[in-house]
Every structure is written in C-alpha cells, then in structure tokens.
Amino acid sequence: MREWTDEFITDAQQELVGMVKDWKYDYGADDKACSAMLLWMVLKLNPKAEIDPKMFQG
C-alpha cells in the first residue's frame, strides 16, 4: 500500500467522489443512500467497526 501522503489522500477522495457520482447517476441514489452504502462497505471491510446507527439518519 502506498504511503498516506497528501497526494494519496487527495487522489483517494477524488476517486470516492467519482464513485458516488456514478451511483447517483446509475441508480438514482441520493446522498443518504450513498452514505448508507459507504457505511455498509466499512462494515464489510471491518465487521468490528463501531458505527453509530444515527449516522444512517439524515
């Protein structure tokens, strides 16, 4: 894995924003649905992650 430089973080953020824009376009998802999908991905990658259920409320 690459070092977490400012450039790496900026590139990752741009990729994530692009992915969310694709979801909105492809599936008609709104910000709440995209947030839920991202939180679901966190749980898939780290099942022990402690995510506040209030984060799913908009």
Side-chain angles (χ1 to χ4, degrees):
M1 176 160 165
R2 291 175 38 194
E3 185 178 340
W4 285 54
T5 62
D6 288 341
E7 180 184 8
F8 174 79
I9 292 169
T10 298
D11 290 347
Q13 287 173 333
Q14 289 175 347
E15 287 185 37
L16 181 60
V17 167
M19 186 171 62
V20 170
K21 283 182 182 180
D22 287 345
W23 291 344
K24 287 180 175 185
Y25 179 80
D26 292 342
Y27 305 112
D30 59 11
D31 287 340
K32 186 176 179 179
C34 290
S35 296
M37 178 64 85
L38 291 169
L39 290 171
W40 175 82
M41 288 180 175
V42 168
L43 288 174
K44 292 299 280 183
L45 292 170
N46 182 4
K48 294 181 180 183
E50 294 184 23
I51 296 178
D52 185 351
K54 293 177 188 169
M55 294 178 76
F56 288 98
Q57 300 170 353

